[in-house]
């Protein structure tokens, strides 16, 4: 992958207590395979219920299914458009323990998650209505933030992922991020943790709880739409997209808690987008890309 940091593949037992890069890649591949199976099953059930010509789209966006629109370049309008997209994502995945395959796993996870989430909105459904989750973040929010994201009034986007080990530390971190004027996107167990702390969230508060599992893709498709909207990136122009994301969309992930297969695949999806991941787990890591910081007070 051009433009990506080198990931040296040392032996799995090079440091007994360290999670090696080989192990993380192997987990990511398995996570991607699980996500592909989940997406294919959801797609087949949707076709059985609605038929192949059923429109599929996110609400309030000009970019169809944004990560597929940007990375794959495919036009997705109806359910029958999804199968070739999934097939291409699956075809790029092997069992090799290489950086390239880790990135392919990240892309397969991203595509699968985008499809699973888009299917929730079939037939005008509003899957998160009445909940405290945002789900897909509409284009109007991106437009409202537009100038602030471009001129650095909003200095960056922080994605909080997983389950924090220290609630007081999490509270301090969020206050610090808010004091810096950062846009915060929260996913997985950290969302109920924020709720328990009395921290208010929502599209009107610069703290967006997108959900858990495949819903993490809404952090990625938000960053992608920033590139499409403000960077002049065209459908399927992977090189320009990757360059803009790495230089202009100043996003990063703060990942809490143990790494599982899906989390590992999501980490590579972030790296594909030029979004560095800081984890509190003992991983071998990649300088400036996948970094460990065991002390929560120093992660930010």
């Amino acid at each position: 992958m051009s433009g990506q940091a080198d990931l040296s593949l040392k032996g799995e037992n090079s440091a007994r207590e360290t999670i090696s890069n080989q192990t993380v890649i192997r987990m990511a591949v398995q996570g991607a395979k699980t996500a592909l199976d989940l997406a294919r099953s959801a797609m087949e059930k949707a076709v059985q219920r609605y038929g192949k010509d059923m429109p599929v789209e996110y609400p309030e966006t000009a970019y169809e299914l944004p990560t597929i629109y940007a990375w794959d370049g495919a036009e997705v309008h109806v359910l029958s458009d999804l199968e070739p997209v999934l097939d291409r994502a699956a075809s790029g995945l092997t069992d090799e323990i290489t950086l390239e395959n880790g990135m392919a796993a990240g892309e397969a996870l991203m595509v699968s998650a985008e499809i699973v989430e888009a299917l929730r909105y079939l037939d005008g459904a509003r899957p998160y209505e009445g909940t405290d989750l945002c789900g897909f973040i509409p284009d109007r929010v991106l437009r409202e933030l537009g100038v602030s994201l471009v001129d650095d009034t909003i200095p960056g986007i922080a994605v909080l992922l997983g389950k924090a080990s220290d609630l007081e530390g999490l509270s301090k971190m969020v206050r610090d991020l808010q004091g810096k004027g950062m846009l915060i996107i929260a996913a997985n167990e950290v969302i109920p943790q924020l709720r328990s702390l009395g921290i208010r969230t929502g599209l009107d508060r610069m703290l967006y709880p997108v959900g858990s599992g495949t819903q993490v893709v809404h952090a990625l498709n938000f960053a992608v739409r920033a590139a499409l909207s403000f960077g002049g990136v065209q459908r399927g122009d992977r090189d320009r997209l990757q360059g803009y994301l790495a230089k202009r969309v100043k996003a990063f992930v703060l990942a809490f808690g143990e790494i599982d297969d899906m989390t590992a695949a999501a980490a590579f999806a972030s790296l594909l987008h030029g979004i560095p991941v800081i984890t509190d787990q003992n991983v071998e890591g990649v300088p400036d890309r996948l970094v460990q910081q065991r002390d929560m007070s120093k992660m930010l």
Side-chain angles (χ1 to χ4, degrees):
M1 295 291 297
S2 61
Q4 295 296 330
D6 177 55
L7 176 56
S8 59
L9 299 179
K10 301 177 182 177
E12 290 193 57
N13 297 317
S14 59
R16 188 171 57 181
E17 296 182 357
T18 298
I19 304 172
S20 72
N21 290 334
Q22 287 186 331
T23 297
V24 175
I25 291 173
R26 182 172 289 111
M27 293 171 69
V29 170
Q30 184 56 52
K33 290 179 178 179
T34 299
L36 285 164
D37 289 342
L38 180 65
R40 197 171 295 279
S41 175
M43 178 188 67
E44 291 171 353
K45 289 177 181 178
V47 169
Q48 289 175 0
R49 180 176 180 182
Y50 296 106
K52 291 185 177 182
D53 294 329
M54 181 67 180
V56 55
E57 60 184 357
Y58 282 126
E60 299 184 63
T61 181
Y63 300 110
E64 301 160 14
L65 309 190
T67 63
I68 294 171
Y69 180 108
W71 286 100
D72 183 272
E75 292 190 20
V76 175
H77 301 291
V78 296
L79 288 176
S80 61
D81 295 329
L82 296 176
E83 187 169 4
V85 175
L86 265 180
D87 288 344
R88 282 192 294 275
S91 68
L93 194 63
T94 71
D95 290 322
E96 295 181 5
I97 308 304
T98 62
L99 169 60
E100 289 75 15
N101 202 39
M103 293 298 183
E107 184 165 354
L109 180 281
M110 171 192 73
V111 167
S112 300
E114 190 84 292
I115 288 173
V116 169
E117 287 303 302
L119 293 176
R120 296 180 189 272
Y121 291 88
L122 284 179
D123 203 20
R126 299 182 178 182
Y128 302 108
E129 190 170 58
T131 75
D132 61 353
L133 300 179
C134 299
F136 182 77
I137 303 167
D139 285 0
R140 61 175 174 79
V141 175
L142 187 66
R143 288 193 297 269
E144 290 167 1
L145 298 175
V147 174
S148 297
L149 283 170
V150 172
D151 70 4
D152 295 335
T153 302
I154 297 174
I157 302 171
V159 180
L160 307 184
L161 177 66
K163 184 177 182 179
S165 60
D166 176 9
L167 285 179
E168 183 179 352
L170 176 63
S171 179
K172 289 179 179 178
M173 179 180 288
V174 170
R175 289 199 299 270
D176 195 358
L177 287 165
Q178 290 174 328
K180 290 177 167 62
M182 303 287 286
L183 174 62
I184 306 170
I185 298 177
N188 292 349
E189 294 92 338
V190 77
I191 296 174
Q193 288 187 310
L194 294 174
R195 190 185 308 127
S196 72
L197 290 167
I199 296 173
R200 302 184 69 179
T201 64
L203 292 178
D204 59 338
R205 295 185 175 276
M206 294 283 287
L207 204 172
Y208 305 159
V210 293
S212 60
T214 54
Q215 294 155 10
V216 175
V217 77
H218 297 313
L220 294 178
N221 64 41
F222 185 82
V224 163
R225 279 178 288 148
L228 294 169
S229 297
F230 311 129
V233 176
Q234 301 300 307
R235 178 194 294 272
D237 189 346
R238 296 171 67 97
D239 289 341
R240 187 166 181 178
L241 173 65
Q242 195 171 59
Y244 188 88
L245 286 168
K247 294 177 182 178
R248 294 297 304 158
V249 182
K250 292 178 282 296
F252 56 92
V253 176
L254 299 174
F256 311 114
E258 293 184 6
I259 299 172
D260 59 22
D261 293 347
M262 296 287 276
T263 303
F268 276 102
S270 296
L271 299 186
L272 177 69
H273 288 70
I275 299 174
V277 178
I278 300 90
T279 175
D280 60 4
Q281 300 301 292
N282 189 15
V283 298
E284 184 180 331
V286 187
D288 300 323
R289 288 292 183 267
L290 177 60
V291 180
Q292 67 156 293
Q293 175 49 260
R294 307 298 298 279
D295 185 345
M296 185 176 178
S297 67
K298 297 179 181 179
M299 287 180 74
L300 181 56

